[in-house]
Amino acid sequence: MLCSLLGSEEAAHDSMVYSYRHGFSGFAAKLTEYEAEQISELPEVVHVVLDQFYQLTTTRTWDYLGLSPKHPKNLLYETNMGNQVIAGVIDSGIWPESESLNDKGMGSIPSRWKGGCESGQMFNPSTHCNRKLIGAKFFIDGFIASNGDLNTTENPEYVSPKDFDGHGTHVATTIAGSFVPNVTYLGFAGGIIRGGAPLAHIAMYKACWHVTAIGTATCSSADMLKAIDEAIKDGVDVISISIAFSVPLFPEIDIRDGIAVGAFHAVARGIPVVCAGGNAGPAAQTIVNTAPWILTVAATTLDRSFPTPITLGNNITILGQELYVGSGLGFTPLVYPESPFSGDCEKLSANPNRTMAGKVVLCFTTKTDPSAVISAGKAVSEAGGLGVIVARNPGHLLVPCVDFACAAIDYELGTDILFYIRSTKTLVGPPVATKVATFSSRGPNSITPAILKPDISAPGVNILAATSLNDSLGAGGFVLKSGTSMATPVVSGIVALLRALHPNWSPAAIRSAIVTTAWKTDPSGEPIFADGSNRKLADPFDYGGGLVNPEKATDPGLVYDMGTSDYIHYMCSVGYKDPSISLVVGKATICPHPNPSVLDLNLPSITIPDLSGEVTITRTVTNVGPRNSVYKVVIDPPSGVHMDVNPKTLVFNPKTERVSFTVRVSTSHKVNTGFYFGSLTWTDSVHNVAIPVSVRTQILPRYYDEN
């Protein structure tokens, strides 16, 4: 095809970037706009699109989730810690010298493994790969085709599977890092560090490249597709992708969304794909990686904090948070730069040195990322100050303060301290509780609101794992990172263990088990809140089914299962055309008439974004528990919504493993509403198979008042 277009085999060879063979039929090539237009007119070509770029979305975790190696009877031991499972990671590469990649106690490499390690800059497969790191490949041709050659002198990187910035190493070792004892990080005792499936094997597919100009890594859609294609061929058991576009999103069947298209083919071959939900929260409709065949993850905090005590002159002590490991300052003058000076953390450097020298400075910022602490600390330090207290919106992204005293607090405590500076006031610090992180992207789904996203939440704040030695925030090869990038490998590690325990479960069955058994409170029974400009109780648009509960997911009782045909029906139900669906599926596909309802997709959730009167939807559950079981329904309807379930009892026996039921949903609201939330649970007194229900009444067409 390219020879015909370009006139010679040599030109065609120079133009070709990738050929996709294992997931679907296609190729990537360097073409002019005119050439792309010419080739798109050939009858055998379905679609031609421009390459796109993704961004990375960037301990105590496993004990918190109940996967402690101290307990002899849990998922960790039932699966021999993930032995023989292969976790595929698509990210920024791997730091092979990390202690977390040691292969002590590892089993043999599975005979079914078809992958391997590729050599490249600072990466030698014979010394860097072992029984832990069994695969390491890199994909840069798409990046080069769009950006030109990567100049590693001006733009430090390794043209190899080796990780420059540490993101991929952190993700991979969170999933399956080996046991590393006696770890300390900046003076904090970390104890034993490990991944969720510490005896699982790791295969890294580097498709993201560090770009100094933007300060992070970027990932070509062409490279991403090829990485997924290779992972399918190599035989991984789960694919973890901590990478995302931002809204507005491409349709799930658009080849420019390489993750969605590639993930479809992986899932069609029985490989679960776990993806980050994005870091654009707390705004609504910012959730990404929304395709229904993807397991999409939100981020929560842990029950751990890094308290920095602040004692005021009235002997009241409050707790801020920051990674300050220096010695205490003792009582020191405390100041807030009042007008005409600036108390804005980003503008402290404009104040005269005399306003801050020898003092601890209080400042306020609207930012929740670490940059405010860094800039304020630098300004106060250069002015001869002794420390800084940063008041900000509730957030949990910490930055190390090694030689300079610093602490972060919320606006409420910051205002209290300001009042103390001006007068005297009693202060009380809030307790540490589990919350959906401020940055975690929220639903509803901006492409198809009837598909609940995120699916699940997991700890993604201040996760300690291995990193590259180039990581400026790392210490001793380890670092704390936050993001849905960090929550995603937590779920991927759990999926790896579930694959070992239930090798015949489909990706949809695994997703269902995780969603229907999730905690709606934190493990201690306290409610889960969602951080944002207004803190509130978390709902399904914040955390999907809830906080992942690994132990319960091993035995869910019932699952809402799906296969490729269900996903094809989904594409038909939302109006995608036959040729576009055929491109994704890889074979000619014709939608049924009439099209199925998107509300009937057999998800472990019910989301109705436009209920105007009454609707009846169908779900089917498969028994994966005791063969003779009886389940009864428990309904907690959303406010103002009536739900009628039939039948109200489900009976399973050796001849009946799958049973369908209908849910008739009606509204008593007389006006348009926002979303209200409830749940539907099937229980046999041992298992509680709960799915979230989200309903919005839309009696009249929606309109927006620009005033």
Side-chain angles (χ1 to χ4, degrees):
M1 199 180 293
L2 287 174
C3 282
S4 174
L5 175 72
L6 302 176
S8 71
E9 285 191 17
E10 182 180 4
H13 182 271
D14 290 342
S15 171
M16 177 70 77
V17 177
Y18 290 120
S19 178
Y20 305 113
R21 299 187 178 95
H22 310 292
F24 68 103
S25 177
F27 63 90
K30 293 175 286 186
L31 301 172
T32 66
E33 287 188 27
Y34 175 76
E35 290 165 344
E37 182 179 348
Q38 291 295 107
I39 205 169
S40 70
E41 295 174 356
L42 296 177
E44 61 267 45
V45 175
V46 179
H47 203 35
V48 175
V49 297
L50 185 66
D51 195 13
Q52 302 294 317
F53 282 81
Y54 292 86
Q55 300 298 325
L56 302 175
T57 52
T58 191
T59 82
R60 164 68 185 149
T61 306
W62 303 110
D63 288 348
Y64 171 72
L65 294 176
L67 286 181
S68 170
K70 298 176 183 177
H71 299 293
K73 292 184 179 180
N74 64 15
L75 176 59
L76 203 58
Y77 281 97
E78 288 181 58
T79 61
N80 193 19
M81 303 190 187
N83 182 39
Q84 294 296 293
V85 174
I86 303 168
V89 182
I90 299 175
D91 213 287
S92 65
I94 194 81
W95 188 263
E97 297 90 349
S98 171
E99 296 175 78
S100 291
L101 296 175
N102 76 76
D103 62 358
K104 296 175 184 175
M106 292 290 301
S108 59
I109 297 174
S111 58
R112 58 191 164 81
W113 176 240
K114 299 181 179 65
C117 294
E118 296 177 349
S119 61
Q121 187 178 4
M122 301 291 287
F123 194 94
N124 184 343
S126 63
T127 57
H128 286 149
C129 287
N130 56 18
R131 289 174 297 160
K132 167 60 69 176
L133 182 62
I134 65 172
K137 298 181 178 181
F138 64 102
F139 307 89
I140 194 173
D141 292 350
F143 177 91
I144 290 175
S146 296
N147 298 282
D149 288 337
L150 184 64
N151 186 330
T152 56
T153 301
E154 297 177 358
N155 189 98
E157 243 296 8
Y158 304 110
V159 183
S160 74
K162 191 162 186 172
D163 187 8
F164 180 82
D165 72 4
H167 189 276
T169 303
H170 196 281
V171 167
T173 57
T174 299
I175 298 171
S178 298
F179 286 90
V180 181
N182 304 318
V183 172
T184 59
Y185 175 66
L186 295 176
F188 292 95
I192 296 174
I193 300 296
R194 65 173 178 87
L199 293 186
H201 306 280
I202 294 172
M204 173 58 69
Y205 300 85
K206 181 177 178 178
C208 301
W209 300 89
H210 181 81
V211 178
T212 301
I214 62 175
T216 186
T218 186
C219 325
S220 156
S221 184
D223 293 335
M224 291 286 300
L225 267 172
K226 187 61 177 176
I228 296 173
D229 202 44
E230 285 292 303
I232 293 171
K233 174 187 74 71
D234 290 346
V236 301
D237 295 303
V238 58
I239 296 175
S240 187
I241 304 177
S242 291
I243 298 163
F245 277 133
S246 58
V247 292
L249 305 176
F250 294 110
E252 302 104 326
I253 64 168
D254 192 318
I255 201 72
R256 286 172 291 185
D257 188 349
I259 291 178
V261 174
F264 176 86
H265 291 280
V267 170
R269 287 159 177 77
I271 305 170
V273 180
V274 187
C275 292
N279 297 336
Q285 298 182 318
T286 52
I287 192 74
V288 296
N289 289 322
T290 58
W293 46 86
I294 289 173
L295 179 52
T296 309
V297 184
T300 70
T301 63
L302 289 162
D303 59 350
R304 173 181 65 187
S305 67
F306 296 86
T308 300
I310 305 167
T311 303
L312 303 179
N314 57 4
N315 287 322
I316 296 294
T317 297
I318 64 174
L319 293 180
Q321 282 213 78
E322 211 54 71
L323 296 177
Y324 175 56
V325 295
S327 57
L329 292 180
F331 281 109
T332 305
L334 175 64
V335 64
Y336 172 74
E338 302 270 12
S339 181
F341 308 120
S342 176
D344 185 325
C345 295
E346 287 76 41
K347 298 178 181 177
L348 290 181
S349 59
N351 294 332
N353 287 353
R354 58 182 170 78
T355 63
M356 299 183 287
K359 302 178 178 71
V360 172
V361 178
L362 170 69
C363 67
F364 286 74
T365 182
T366 57
K367 293 185 177 180
T368 56
D369 61 54
S371 64
V373 178
I374 294 172
S375 62
K378 183 174 184 290
V380 175
S381 176
E382 291 178 350
L386 301 179
V388 65
I389 301 171
V390 176
R392 61 186 184 184
N393 255 317
H396 312 281
L397 302 182
L398 305 184
V399 64
C401 301
V402 181
D403 300 316
F404 188 75
C406 67
I409 54 179
D410 63 21
Y411 283 149
E412 180 182 353
L413 289 178
T415 303
D416 284 342
I417 292 177
L418 179 58
F419 287 173
Y420 164 76
I421 293 173
R422 293 170 174 169
S423 57
T424 303
K425 192 175 187 292
T426 301
L427 307 175
V428 179
V432 176
T434 301
K435 297 176 282 290
V436 176
T438 306
F439 59 75
S440 187
S441 292
R442 313 296 165 93
N445 185 333
S446 64
I447 291 182
T448 311
I451 305 299
L452 177 65
K453 291 291 176 175
D455 293 295
I456 197 69
S457 67
V461 174
N462 301 325
I463 304 299
L464 185 61
T467 189
S468 158
L469 292 186
N470 298 312
D471 192 333
S472 61
L473 298 179
F478 295 90
V479 72
L480 287 169
K481 287 184 181 289
S482 297
T484 54
S485 279
M486 283 64 251
T488 299
V490 171
V491 174
S492 298
I494 294 166
V495 170
L497 296 176
L498 291 174
R499 288 277 282 173
L501 187 65
H502 300 292
N504 296 322
W505 279 10
S506 70
I510 290 174
R511 188 247 302 270
S512 176
I514 287 173
V515 171
T516 61
T517 60
W519 279 301
K520 306 304 184 293
T521 64
D522 73 10
S524 66
E526 293 296 320
I528 298 175
F529 284 83
D531 262 354
S533 56
N534 291 308
R535 185 175 293 172
K536 64 180 183 67
L537 283 172
D539 61 47
F541 292 154
D542 300 312
Y543 64 10
L547 176 65
V548 64
N549 185 340
E551 280 302 306
K552 288 289 187 181
T554 65
D555 181 23
L558 306 175
V559 296
Y560 293 78
D561 205 359
M562 286 190 286
T564 303
S565 61
D566 296 284
Y567 299 126
I568 293 173
H569 283 170
Y570 159 76
M571 296 181 216
C572 295
S573 73
V574 296
Y576 295 136
K577 303 303 182 184
D578 293 351
S580 297
I581 297 173
S582 299
L583 173 66
V584 173
V585 175
K587 61 182 180 181
T589 302
I590 300 176
C591 288
H593 293 285
N595 275 337
S597 169
V598 68
L599 298 179
D600 288 333
L601 186 64
N602 204 42
L603 291 166
S605 61
I606 294 173
T607 307
I608 306 175
D610 54 0
L611 182 63
S612 59
E614 181 181 296
V615 66
T616 298
I617 64 177
T618 301
R619 289 289 185 273
T620 301
V621 287
T622 302
N623 183 23
V624 294
R627 301 183 74 181
N628 293 294
S629 300
V630 177
Y631 284 82
K632 295 184 181 298
V633 71
V634 177
I635 302 172
D636 177 21
S639 176
V641 173
H642 177 73
M643 296 170 58
D644 183 32
V645 177
N646 283 295
K648 294 175 174 53
T649 301
L650 306 180
V651 179
F652 298 91
N653 55 53
K655 293 184 178 181
T656 305
E657 295 181 344
R658 289 167 55 89
V659 177
S660 296
F661 63 92
T662 61
V663 186
R664 185 163 56 89
V665 185
S666 59
T667 178
S668 61
H669 293 288
K670 305 301 182 185
V671 297
N672 291 2
T673 70
F675 277 96
Y676 289 97
F677 305 100
S679 64
L680 187 158
T681 304
W682 291 103
T683 180
D684 64 352
S685 75
V686 175
H687 306 91
N688 294 301
V689 189
I691 64 173
V693 177
S694 311
V695 179
R696 179 175 62 189
T697 298
Q698 292 292 312
I699 296 173
L700 301 172
R702 281 184 290 162
Y703 72 94
Y704 298 92
D705 185 351
E706 295 183 356
N707 297 321

